[in-house]
């Protein structure tokens, strides 16, 4: 346990410090990709002594998590030995529970998808049936050699209580209210489980997709078959005060805390992920991390009212963007659906001043060019500033984002 001094500062005991430093080494090596880093570079970036780094990396190598990546070119002295993360050393599973479909993926430590399962799900049949479906899906994607899983990330329709791991009053599905999904699944699976909204997992995947360059070539065929992984350096982090502080370890950086700009390369500083499927919602990636709000309720984008006295929405209001957009989809008017989505997105952009609007979900996947073009056109027409946000496809799925959350603790972050 932490010690406390009279001035209120908290100390960290040795086992906790050791775990922190090991996670930091893994995070740095993950960001470095297959090329790896030398011990001196690790020491400089972590602020540790070379002797401490040697001891830490020896333990990680003994655990099978890292290995030598060759030697760096000599600059006059002895060539440096480079170390790399072994992506296949551990795996995690991500599950996307949609209202009518369940998709599960197993990913390696670099975030690459190595196995996938997809099947129907009747969300309206109630929690018990859905739990059984998740348990079966996890069993299908488990490693056949018995490699243990680090954990399971589960993405479900909101609203839900992220901290308590319990479902909220999902629109149209009253039987789910207050169901302790995380605890029930942990009991059934015998593994750590992280539960979050599907849109938040989508934001994690979308942000991480910009950072996949660290692991470009390995297992490319599997990625093409199973879907793009989130990729190295995708992060995930600690929830503090309604937000998430996160480290984007792409290239070489280490993470930052809540409210700190922590992104690298082409990674998005701030973005909004818009998911259009059986429902419509948003995941908010603000200042380097997912923003959930004080009550895990941020991102209920689909229930902003665009048309007073419009058609009734299943939430009880009228003229919500969800009922208008999905109504146009049902009529086959995809351009109109995309334009409605763009109008709602423009409201969000004006409010939050984001760098990117990233689009995902099965409806977008059915007509990606239409949605990117129409949403982009609306944002351009309504822009108050010439430097308007980029509109693009998300590049990775919700299940991948859920798996990335399950990987987080190994790299010293809390999903």
């Amino acid at each position: 346990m932490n010690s406390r001094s009279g001035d209120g500062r908290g100390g960290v005991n040795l086992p906790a410090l050791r775990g922190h430093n090991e996670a930091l080494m893994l995070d740095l090596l993950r960001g470095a990709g297959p090329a790896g880093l030398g011990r001196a570079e690790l020491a400089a970036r972590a602020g540790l002594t070379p002797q401490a780094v040697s001891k830490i990396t020896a333990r990680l190598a003994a655990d099978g998590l890292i290995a030598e990546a060759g030697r760096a070119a000599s600059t006059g002295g002895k060539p440096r030995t480079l170390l790399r993360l072994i992506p296949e050393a551990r795996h995690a599973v991500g599950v996307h529970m949609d209202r009518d479909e369940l998709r599960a993926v197993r990913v390696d430590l670099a975030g690459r998808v190595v196995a996938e399962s997809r099947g129907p799900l009747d969300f309206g049949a109630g929690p018990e049936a859905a739990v059984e479906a998740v348990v079966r899906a996890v069993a299908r994607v488990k490693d056949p050699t018995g490699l243990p899983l680090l954990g399971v990330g589960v993405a479900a329709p909101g609203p839900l209580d992220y901290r308590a791991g319990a479902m909220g009053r999902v629109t149209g599905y009253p039987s789910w209210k207050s169901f302790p999904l995380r605890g029930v699944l942990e009991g059934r699976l015998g593994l750590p489980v992280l539960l979050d909204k599907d849109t938040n997992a989508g934001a994690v995947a979308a942000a991480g997709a910009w950072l996949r360059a660290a692991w470009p070539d390995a297992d490319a065929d599997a990625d093409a078959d199973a879907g793009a992984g989130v990729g190295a350096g995708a992060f995930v982090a600690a929830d503090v005060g309604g937000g998430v502080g996160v480290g984007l370890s792409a290239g070489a950086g280490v993470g930052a805390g809540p409210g700190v700009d922590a992104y690298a390369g082409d990674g998005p500083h701030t973005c909004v992920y818009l998911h259009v499927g059986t429902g419509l919602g948003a995941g908010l990636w603000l200042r380097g991390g997912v923003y959930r709000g004080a009550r895990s309720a941020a991102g209920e984008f689909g229930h902003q009212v665009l048309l007073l006295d419009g058609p009734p929405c299943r939430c009880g209001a009228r003229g919500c963007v969800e009922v208008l957009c999905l109504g146009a989809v049902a009529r086959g008017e995809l351009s109109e659906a995309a334009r409605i989505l763009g109008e709602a997105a423009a409201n969000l952009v004006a409010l939050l001043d984001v760098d990117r609007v990233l689009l995902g979900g099965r409806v977008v996947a059915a007509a990606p060019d239409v949605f990117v073009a129409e949403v982009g056109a609306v944002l351009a027409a309504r822009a108050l500033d010439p430097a308007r946000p980029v509109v693009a496809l998300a590049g990775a799925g919700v299940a991948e984002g859920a798996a990335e959350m399950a990987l987080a603790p190994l790299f010293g972050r809390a999903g």
Side-chain angles (χ1 to χ4, degrees):
M1 58 185 291
N2 290 351
S3 64
R4 294 284 177 184
S5 61
D7 61 3
R9 291 176 296 175
V12 179
N13 61 23
L14 184 59
L17 182 62
R18 175 179 292 180
H20 169 80
N21 288 337
E22 289 180 352
L24 181 56
M25 292 296 105
L26 290 173
D27 193 41
L28 287 166
L29 291 173
R30 189 189 200 211
L37 290 171
R39 290 178 177 84
E41 293 168 294
L42 288 169
R45 296 179 186 188
L48 298 171
T49 66
Q51 294 84 355
V53 168
S54 292
K55 291 179 181 179
I56 295 166
T57 55
R59 290 196 298 267
L60 294 174
D63 289 339
L65 290 168
I66 67 173
E68 292 188 2
R71 292 183 180 275
S74 174
T75 58
K78 182 180 177 181
R80 293 177 297 113
T81 298
L82 299 174
L83 301 173
R84 66 176 179 87
L85 181 72
I86 302 175
E88 60 272 20
R90 302 287 190 277
H91 289 167
V93 168
V95 177
H96 179 196
M97 299 175 64
D98 207 343
R99 291 169 176 83
D100 61 356
E101 182 182 74
L102 188 148
R103 179 172 176 257
V105 298
R106 175 164 52 92
V107 305
D108 66 15
L109 295 183
R112 299 179 308 223
V113 175
V114 296
E116 178 180 10
S117 171
R118 188 189 299 266
L121 177 68
D122 183 1
F123 203 76
E128 291 77 12
V131 165
E132 294 300 326
V134 171
V135 171
R136 291 193 298 268
V138 172
R140 284 195 294 269
V141 299
K142 272 187 175 180
D143 183 72
T145 67
L147 181 73
L149 295 171
L150 291 172
V152 177
V154 177
L160 55 78
D161 188 331
Y162 165 78
R163 295 170 183 81
M167 298 295 291
R169 201 170 105 189
V170 181
T171 305
Y173 301 94
S175 65
W176 279 91
K177 188 176 187 302
S178 301
F179 183 75
L181 182 59
R182 183 180 67 198
V184 171
L185 284 174
E186 285 183 334
R188 291 294 307 276
L189 296 170
L191 292 165
V193 173
L194 184 142
L195 174 67
D196 208 341
K197 291 201 300 186
D198 47 10
T199 51
N200 288 341
V204 168
W210 294 85
L211 302 169
R212 286 178 294 169
W215 302 88
D217 300 317
D219 206 12
D221 291 339
D223 281 348
D225 292 338
V230 173
F235 68 77
V236 186
D239 185 56
V240 179
V244 173
V246 92
L248 298 179
S249 55
V254 296
V260 177
D261 299 340
Y263 70 107
D266 290 329
H269 180 184
T270 59
C271 75
V272 57
Y273 166 74
L274 302 181
H275 185 88
V276 189
T278 55
L280 197 156
L284 306 178
W285 180 264
L286 305 179
R287 295 181 62 81
V290 174
Y291 178 77
R292 295 183 175 91
R295 290 166 293 279
S296 307
E300 290 300 316
F301 170 82
H303 298 296
Q304 59 172 299
V305 174
L306 288 188
L307 182 63
L308 295 177
D309 299 323
C313 179
R314 56 187 175 180
C315 73
R318 303 183 71 90
C320 293
V321 59
E322 180 174 290
V323 70
L324 296 174
C325 181
L326 296 186
V329 171
R331 297 190 299 272
E333 300 170 0
L334 293 184
S335 291
E336 175 66 7
R339 188 188 68 78
I340 293 168
L341 182 67
E343 292 291 347
N347 292 341
L348 203 53
V349 168
L351 184 67
L352 298 177
D353 189 24
V354 297
D355 297 323
R356 288 187 170 94
V357 174
L358 304 176
L359 309 178
R362 71 176 70 169
V363 173
V364 171
D369 293 343
V370 171
F371 276 87
V372 170
E374 292 291 347
V375 171
V378 174
L379 291 182
R382 288 188 51 188
L384 301 176
D385 189 309
R388 58 183 177 271
V390 172
V391 178
L393 299 178
V398 169
E400 285 87 343
E404 183 65 28
M405 291 176 169
L407 288 177
L410 185 69
F411 300 101
R413 315 193 186 286

